[in-house]
Amino acid sequence: MMRSRFARDPLTYAEPLYQRAIEAVIEFIGDQRYQPGGRLPSENDLAAELGISRPTLREALTELQTQGVIERRRGVGTFVAEEKPASLRPGIERLRSFRSLSQSAGVSFARSSWSVQEAFADEDVASALGVRLGEPVVYVRTTATASEIPAATFGTYILPKYVNVDRLRAYSSGSLLDFVIEAGSPKLHHTNTELSATDASGSVSVWLDVPDGTPVLGLAEIFFDRSGRSVMYSRNYFLTTQVSFNLVRTVD
């Protein structure tokens, strides 16, 4: 039975159960070499195989269906989804970089711009990071393409004590979030995220290479470490023609 993903110490591993169940189902599909169109075991059997409850499994399957990994046919069963053209419609519950989301969706990722600057905290940044107005920060601007089309732009502020600026400037493969995750420090735990619908204008239009007034999704995030300290603040914009986010909400 595949129980390894659910044997971690709950006091030191904070990932939600259904997220771990998602990973376990994907691992099960790969280990058993299911092909597109292949029928998975019943919910009862799959829950027993993975060593998890049916409600947790059902929540994971709902998310995987939204992601296009599986298909659930009423009265028939659950199947591995037939291969379809790649799209980017990730779930937003789990903290992952845009590069990671793109790769998971089978969408080619490329970084079309990268800028690392030393700056000073304005009111928003100072409030988000819990520092004084005008305190030095490092500002990183990244623009990314998905399937060779501009898709998102990220402007992220981080306190200088958390990064080596020279190494950051030489980093060539992803965003500041990727850099921090790969470095393993600071150890990120969660974010406070605010979503907003807006229009591209000014520098955002330039970064995304779209006319002013183009609809975009704004996403502002404060990143916290495991001790609850804010360490990064990010203002991001996504082209709605290229990216849409899915949110799974449960009823208590």
Side-chain angles (χ1 to χ4, degrees):
M1 296 177 65
M2 291 179 57
R3 299 179 183 271
S4 60
R5 290 190 179 274
F6 297 88
R8 295 164 174 158
D9 183 350
L11 296 178
T12 59
Y13 193 78
E15 188 176 31
L17 277 176
Y18 89 94
Q19 288 288 355
R20 291 154 63 186
I22 289 172
E23 296 169 5
V25 172
I26 293 174
E27 183 178 296
F28 175 82
I29 290 171
D31 288 346
Q32 301 300 318
R33 299 185 180 180
Y34 279 93
Q35 299 299 311
R39 182 176 178 174
L40 298 178
S42 68
E43 284 189 8
N44 278 339
D45 291 343
L46 188 54
E49 176 70 21
L50 299 178
I52 57 178
S53 68
R54 284 190 65 189
T56 298
L57 175 64
R58 193 173 296 116
E59 192 173 3
L61 293 177
T62 297
E63 168 63 12
L64 288 170
Q65 182 178 28
T66 300
Q67 293 180 11
V69 176
I70 63 168
E71 296 176 358
R72 302 166 83 182
R73 303 172 191 169
R74 185 180 297 273
V76 179
T78 302
F79 299 80
V80 178
E82 299 289 346
E83 294 185 5
K84 299 175 182 178
S87 62
L88 191 51
R89 190 171 182 266
I92 200 172
E93 302 88 351
R94 189 179 178 192
L95 177 56
R96 298 175 65 187
S97 70
F98 188 73
R99 182 185 69 180
S100 175
L101 292 172
S102 300
Q103 292 170 344
S104 295
V107 174
S108 62
F109 166 90
R111 200 177 69 181
S112 59
S113 69
W114 176 252
S115 173
V116 179
Q117 304 172 16
E118 296 179 62
F120 300 96
D122 61 18
E123 289 186 6
D124 287 345
V125 174
S127 176
L129 296 180
V131 298
R132 297 187 305 273
L133 182 67
E135 187 160 329
V137 292
V138 176
Y139 175 66
V140 180
R141 165 60 55 187
T142 314
T143 302
T145 63
S147 298
E148 301 182 357
I149 300 173
T153 185
F154 310 90
T156 307
Y157 300 83
I158 189 168
L159 298 179
K161 64 182 178 181
Y162 292 120
V163 292
N164 179 304
V165 174
D166 291 335
R167 287 183 56 202
L168 186 58
R169 286 189 172 124
Y171 185 65
S172 61
S173 59
S175 65
L176 175 58
L177 179 55
D178 291 298
F179 179 87
V180 169
I181 291 173
E182 290 172 16
S185 178
K187 292 187 178 298
L188 302 177
H189 183 263
H190 67 280
T191 71
N192 184 346
T193 302
E194 179 181 333
L195 294 166
S196 62
T198 186
D199 294 334
S201 61
S203 54
V204 175
S205 301
V206 174
W207 293 325
L208 292 175
D209 193 23
V210 295
D212 282 357
T214 300
V216 294
L217 177 66
L219 191 151
E221 290 189 291
I222 304 173
F223 295 78
F224 297 88
D225 65 13
R226 295 183 184 275
S227 65
R229 293 173 299 188
S230 56
V231 296
M232 294 197 309
Y233 173 57
S234 189
R235 300 166 180 159
N236 310 320
Y237 299 92
F238 300 85
L239 275 178
T240 57
T241 54
Q242 303 301 319
V243 184
S244 62
F245 290 104
N246 172 65
L247 178 62
V248 175
R249 304 176 70 193
T250 60
V251 178
D252 290 336

